[in-house]
Amino acid sequence: MESLDRKAMLGHKVRRFRMDTGLSQTEMAAQIGISPSYLNLIEHNQRPVTVPLLFKLGQTFEIDLKAFAEDDDQRLAAGLSEVFGDTLFEGQRVSDREIRELVGAAPAAAQGVLSLYQAYRQLWETAQALAHREGGDGGLEASMTVAPVEEVRDFLQGESNYFDPMERLAEQVWESAALDRDALFAGLRDHIERDHGIGVRIMPVEVMGDTLRRWDHHRRRILISEALLASGRVFNLAVQFVLITERDLLDDLVARAGLCGEEAHGLLRATLAAYFAGALMMPYAPFLKAAQELRYDVELLRRRFGASFEQVCHRLTTLQRPGARGVPFFFLRIDNAGNISKRLSGGGYHFARFGGTCPRLAVHDVFRTPGQIQTQVAALPDGTTLFLLARTLDVIGGGRDPLQPRYAIALGCEWKEAKHLVYADGHDPRRKPAATPAGVSCRVCERLDCTQRAHPPVNHRLRIDDSMRRTQPFDFAR
């Protein structure tokens, strides 16, 4: 319960849980051994939920203590800071204290404001695209595809990027197919051919071109490009296998997610299939055990499980099974222009919904040292200290094409979790480390003295003084 030191004001969660279970304050207070008046103070965040009381709640109502103690307030507050930072609210500045009060007193209302703003942004972006439509640049279609991606990302975050049905299915396949980690591709291929009547072929690149995987429905064959490394071959085979054989399960999970539109449904279905592939390559219990024993050494984990660097980092973010959790990580993948192509929240970092991420994060620097891991301690404006490791990724398809995409990823967690990582061994855990001041994005960052700003923060007026020039790209009226 190490995270309770700054997450003890859980009154809104207690009140919501009590109301969901249909208990009065008197009834709940009697069951956990406190007075109704004290429970009332807790629900209004005038008293903290102490560790003994939290354990009492867990024993009485069989709740997952760690999940209950995890604070959704930080995520909501970060989202609302971006909302109220929009120029739409210029002249109506909402302070961080007011945002925290709104989130604490009415989290459902806070989420409603966030959802309403997301809908507004989608309409705004569509209107902007319509205004430029005469140019024929496809701007309308580009803007319309943003919403499904964000919708799926929000759903993954809400589920803590953990999907038990996919985990259980991967475990069942391991058992029924009698898979062997040292010959995973061959074992999975034999299982697919023997038990499902589906052929698997490795095809030459001159046949596949830029296609890495294809389902030949008429001949009932899964075709895998020879351009893929061994880890990519297993991953793509597992993805196509589950898309073919477990369509009903995937469709049921997608339907229950409550997303809007076929695009979001298709994205989530593909995401769940990829989740299964990661779970099959790195089964939950053995992978968690190895991660803890190897102290989250990504390079050793990728060798033990025959996976890529990105696959291991992604899998580490999914270790959220109740009663068997790993370090809570966040994950970020960018290209060499700084565009975010994949992100998974967690570990104390909340991504900006609009715009890029902070240029001070080490993930932007690793393109200068391909294949090498860099580490960083970063301090956010809200006082959170993060530990990150970053590295470029190997190209997916091999070959010499200079236009192949180049990516880098960052894997991070809160500093208090860094003691579990081998990469933090150079730091003294008893002393607060020197940290790089960082933020979420330039658009909402309050570090007015930053020399790496791409653009000024909203709700701050620029001060133009042609008699002087500072190291900062912008100056602001105080």
Side-chain angles (χ1 to χ4, degrees):
M1 309 311 295
E2 151 178 32
S3 62
L4 290 181
D5 53 344
R6 68 184 184 111
K7 296 182 179 178
M9 305 307 284
L10 305 171
H12 62 283
K13 282 195 171 185
V14 174
R15 182 173 183 272
R16 197 182 317 156
F17 177 78
R18 177 180 62 77
M19 296 180 71
D20 289 345
T21 52
L23 295 173
S24 67
Q25 283 188 337
T26 301
E27 291 169 334
M28 186 177 197
Q31 292 192 45
I32 59 178
I34 61 176
S35 67
S37 59
Y38 190 71
L39 178 58
N40 184 61
L41 292 173
I42 288 174
E43 289 188 357
H44 287 85
N45 277 337
Q46 295 179 28
R47 293 292 186 277
V49 178
T50 62
V51 173
L53 183 57
L54 188 63
F55 280 123
K56 185 67 175 177
L57 283 166
Q59 293 168 354
T60 305
F61 298 105
E62 296 183 355
I63 59 176
D64 182 349
L65 295 183
K66 184 166 184 178
F68 193 81
E70 287 174 351
D71 194 3
D72 299 326
D73 290 6
Q74 194 178 8
R75 176 184 62 83
L76 277 175
L80 289 180
S81 294
E82 189 174 5
V83 169
F84 290 116
D86 197 298
T87 51
L88 178 70
F89 297 99
E90 188 173 5
Q92 296 176 311
R93 184 166 177 78
V94 180
S95 68
D96 291 341
R97 178 182 58 79
E98 291 173 308
I99 290 174
R100 289 194 299 270
E101 288 177 353
L102 172 60
V103 170
Q111 182 60 58
V113 171
L114 198 55
S115 299
L116 186 63
Y117 179 75
Q118 291 166 11
Y120 155 75
R121 283 293 303 192
Q122 183 182 357
L123 289 172
W124 184 87
E125 289 170 1
T126 302
Q128 292 293 307
L130 284 169
H132 292 86
R133 193 174 185 180
E134 291 183 2
D137 60 357
L140 175 61
E141 291 76 13
S143 71
M144 294 294 280
T145 61
V146 174
V149 172
E150 293 299 336
E151 195 175 9
V152 171
R153 285 173 175 172
D154 288 345
F155 176 72
L156 296 179
Q157 180 172 325
E159 298 296 317
S160 299
N161 197 32
Y162 176 77
F163 297 94
D164 196 64
M166 294 292 97
E167 298 285 354
R168 303 302 177 186
L169 177 61
E171 291 167 354
Q172 291 170 14
V173 172
W174 259 88
E175 183 176 352
S176 61
L179 296 178
D180 180 355
R181 187 190 302 164
D182 294 330
L184 189 53
F185 182 86
L188 182 59
R189 178 194 60 204
D190 293 346
H191 169 67
I192 293 172
E193 293 180 340
R194 179 183 64 247
D195 297 342
H196 296 275
I198 297 172
V200 178
R201 299 290 183 272
I202 303 295
M203 302 297 289
V205 72
E206 57 265 26
V207 174
M208 297 292 284
D210 61 357
T211 301
L212 301 178
R213 175 191 85 238
R214 185 162 69 85
W215 165 230
D216 183 351
H217 177 76
H218 296 290
R219 297 184 181 181
R220 290 186 60 78
R221 299 188 307 171
I222 299 174
L223 308 180
I224 304 292
S225 173
E226 67 177 355
L228 289 167
L229 297 173
S231 58
R233 295 181 184 187
V234 176
F235 184 86
N236 278 275
L237 180 58
V239 167
Q240 195 64 66
F241 165 68
V242 77
L243 285 169
I244 297 168
T245 62
E246 296 292 341
R247 191 74 173 193
D248 290 344
L249 172 61
L250 292 173
D251 287 346
D252 179 61
L253 292 173
V254 169
R256 281 193 278 165
L259 306 185
C260 299
E262 284 304 312
E263 288 177 307
H265 292 172
L267 282 172
L268 181 56
R269 187 182 297 109
T271 299
L272 291 172
Y275 186 103
F276 166 81
L280 188 74
M281 294 177 67
M282 295 161 275
Y284 196 99
F287 185 75
L288 174 61
K289 184 173 184 291
Q292 292 172 336
E293 290 177 348
L294 297 175
R295 301 187 58 226
Y296 296 89
D297 188 320
V298 178
E299 293 290 355
L300 288 180
L301 285 169
R302 65 182 295 199
R303 284 160 175 75
R304 179 171 296 187
F305 289 90
S308 71
F309 193 89
E310 180 178 8
Q311 288 166 353
V312 170
C313 290
H314 192 286
R315 183 59 169 149
L316 287 172
T317 70
T318 69
L319 299 181
Q320 297 299 311
R321 178 176 288 178
R325 285 186 165 92
V327 168
F329 287 105
F330 68 84
F331 175 98
L332 171 69
R333 186 180 72 188
I334 66 169
D335 62 21
N336 54 357
N339 300 305
I340 299 174
S341 58
K342 186 188 293 186
R343 67 186 189 210
L344 295 165
S345 295
Y349 189 73
H350 301 280
F351 299 103
R353 184 173 302 275
F354 307 104
T357 190
C358 179
R360 286 181 166 179
L361 296 182
V363 67
H364 299 284
D365 300 329
V366 295
F367 289 103
R368 295 198 294 263
T369 56
Q372 298 180 24
I373 294 176
Q374 291 189 27
T375 63
Q376 180 185 36
V377 180
L380 300 183
D382 66 359
T384 303
T385 302
L386 304 175
F387 182 79
L388 303 89
L389 59 103
R391 180 189 183 275
T392 55
L393 297 180
D394 301 322
V395 293
I396 296 176
R400 297 175 178 269
D401 183 359
L403 297 181
Q404 289 192 65
R406 298 294 194 269
Y407 294 112
I409 63 172
L411 186 72
C413 62
E414 289 196 45
W415 170 249
K416 65 186 178 185
E417 302 284 357
K419 62 180 180 291
H420 302 297
L421 278 60
V422 67
Y423 302 100
D425 281 353
H427 298 275
D428 185 348
R430 298 167 298 180
R431 304 178 63 180
K432 189 172 183 178
T436 302
V440 175
S441 76
C442 293
R443 186 172 178 273
V444 296
C445 184
E446 292 294 322
R447 299 189 188 279
L448 302 184
D449 60 346
C450 178
T451 59
Q452 291 183 260
R453 278 195 172 278
H455 41 77
V458 292
N459 271 345
H460 281 276
R461 293 186 177 278
L462 288 175
R463 185 170 74 93
I464 309 300
D465 185 350
D466 57 11
S467 67
M468 61 186 302
R469 174 71 167 87
R470 297 179 182 271
T471 55
Q472 298 94 329
F474 305 101
D475 196 11
F476 306 96
R478 304 293 176 178

